[in-house]
Amino acid sequence: MLFPRTEADRERRRIVVMCLPYFVLATFGAFAPLAMLARMSVSESQFRNEGFSLAAWKVLVTDPVYREIAWNTLWFAAAATIFSVAIGVAISHALEKYSLPFERLLVALISFPIALPGIVVGFMIVVLLGRTGLLTNAVAFFTGGDPIDLATAMSVGGLFLGYAFSLIPRSTMVLRGTFAEINEDAEEAARALGASSLVTFYHVTLPQVWPGIVAALILTFRTALAVFGTVLVLPALNVATLRINLEIHDLGFNLATASAIGLLYFAFIFAFTLVGVKLIDNENLKI
């Protein structure tokens, strides 16, 4: 590898050199901490890594609270992902298909939530739908209702809106590139043969953008599982993703259980990513 003799060897060396900085960083930023998590998850002591115990893993398997955590996390992230990608498909189609006025401004407005931390998004939902929120008080003014009863920021609906606000820009940015590569001649041929806009989209456009939709679903779902900041501010489903925080700060500094949850989270994300990458690489992927 250090002294390549063939072009294939030189290519392998270039790949290693280009990837080496990332793996050096990942070794200290990811692999070493994961190894530490694995050790802490089987430690008998709450404060030091000593002894060996599977008590934390037994708790995760037998305690129904943790099954509720997993179920809430998965269904909520899946629902927010499907909704966000569906909206992203519509927005991307409109941006790439039509010549819109102020298109650059529209793209900037659509994409800016990507740069916002989840905590900021949560506060924005509170400002809009909280007890003192603008929309809450506007509805209360016109209906005569009580803002306390009308506030939905801390409900599942408010949390869902916060997730969608964060996820729609991500799915849209992924899908825009896919829609830009569409063969418009095929669409025009279908329309010329009498197909409606909806039929043309389903039979001509959708098969072309399906790999991009799958990629957007994978990226958005992974992001939805990691939006901890929004849940911190809008704790409608706090049991879903705040458990690690609760284990460390509010439930007696149970570091072993928190480490086990972190490892399970990593294992699930890693396996999900592998399946997703394999699915995207499948050239025969069709609907």
Side-chain angles (χ1 to χ4, degrees):
M1 186 66 70
L2 293 178
F3 304 100
R5 297 180 178 179
T6 65
E7 181 59 31
D9 291 339
R10 283 190 284 272
E11 183 176 344
R12 294 191 190 97
R13 187 178 64 175
R14 286 195 292 270
I15 293 173
V16 170
V17 170
M18 288 187 287
C19 296
L20 187 60
Y22 166 75
F23 282 104
V24 170
L25 181 63
T27 297
F28 296 99
F31 303 147
L34 282 172
M36 186 63 71
L37 278 180
R39 179 65 186 95
M40 286 192 293
S41 70
V42 293
S43 174
E44 289 182 338
S45 173
Q46 294 291 343
F47 305 102
R48 290 185 297 180
N49 291 329
E50 59 183 18
F52 180 84
S53 173
L54 294 175
W57 292 95
K58 184 178 179 180
V59 168
L60 293 187
V61 174
T62 58
D63 193 331
V65 170
Y66 295 96
R67 288 197 291 273
E68 183 183 359
I69 293 171
W71 171 243
N72 281 345
T73 302
L74 292 175
W75 79 256
F76 191 79
T81 296
I82 293 172
F83 176 79
S84 301
V85 172
I87 299 298
V89 168
I91 295 174
S92 302
H93 185 64
L95 289 175
E96 299 300 328
K97 180 72 175 177
Y98 306 106
S99 179
L100 303 175
F102 309 108
E103 184 171 332
R104 292 182 179 178
L105 178 60
L106 286 175
V107 172
L109 290 173
I110 292 169
S111 62
F112 90 92
I114 293 176
L116 295 178
I119 291 177
V120 175
V121 173
F123 277 116
M124 293 174 69
I125 299 300
V126 171
V127 169
L128 182 65
L129 299 174
R131 294 178 178 179
T132 59
L134 297 175
L135 185 58
T136 301
N137 282 273
V139 173
F141 176 80
F142 288 107
T143 63
D146 188 341
I148 295 178
D149 298 329
L150 294 173
T152 57
M154 301 297 177
S155 67
V156 175
L159 185 62
F160 188 87
L161 187 61
Y163 266 58
F165 187 66
S166 294
L167 298 178
I168 288 175
R170 290 173 169 80
S171 64
T172 301
M173 293 304 108
V174 173
L175 288 165
R176 279 197 68 195
T178 302
F179 275 89
E181 301 297 328
I182 288 178
N183 182 355
E184 296 185 355
D185 293 339
E187 291 182 326
E188 293 175 359
R191 295 300 304 275
L193 292 173
S196 65
S197 299
L198 186 59
V199 172
T200 301
F201 179 81
Y202 182 76
H203 289 288
V204 179
T205 306
L206 195 54
Q208 296 185 66
V209 300
W210 181 246
I213 292 176
V214 174
L217 286 169
I218 294 169
L219 176 64
T220 307
F221 184 70
R222 289 171 50 187
T223 305
L225 293 176
V227 184
F228 291 93
T230 304
V231 186
L232 281 169
V233 180
L234 307 173
L237 282 173
N238 60 355
V239 71
T241 54
L242 272 180
R243 196 63 184 186
I244 293 178
N245 181 284
L246 291 174
E247 298 287 354
I248 296 175
H249 293 99
D250 299 334
L251 298 179
F253 200 70
N254 197 333
L255 204 55
T257 305
S259 300
I261 294 174
L263 280 177
L264 281 178
Y265 178 82
F266 169 79
F268 178 81
I269 291 293
F270 188 71
F272 179 80
T273 302
L274 284 180
V275 173
V277 169
K278 185 176 180 180
L279 191 61
I280 293 174
D281 287 341
N282 185 1
E283 296 181 355
N284 296 319
L285 181 65
K286 303 292 183 185
I287 59 173

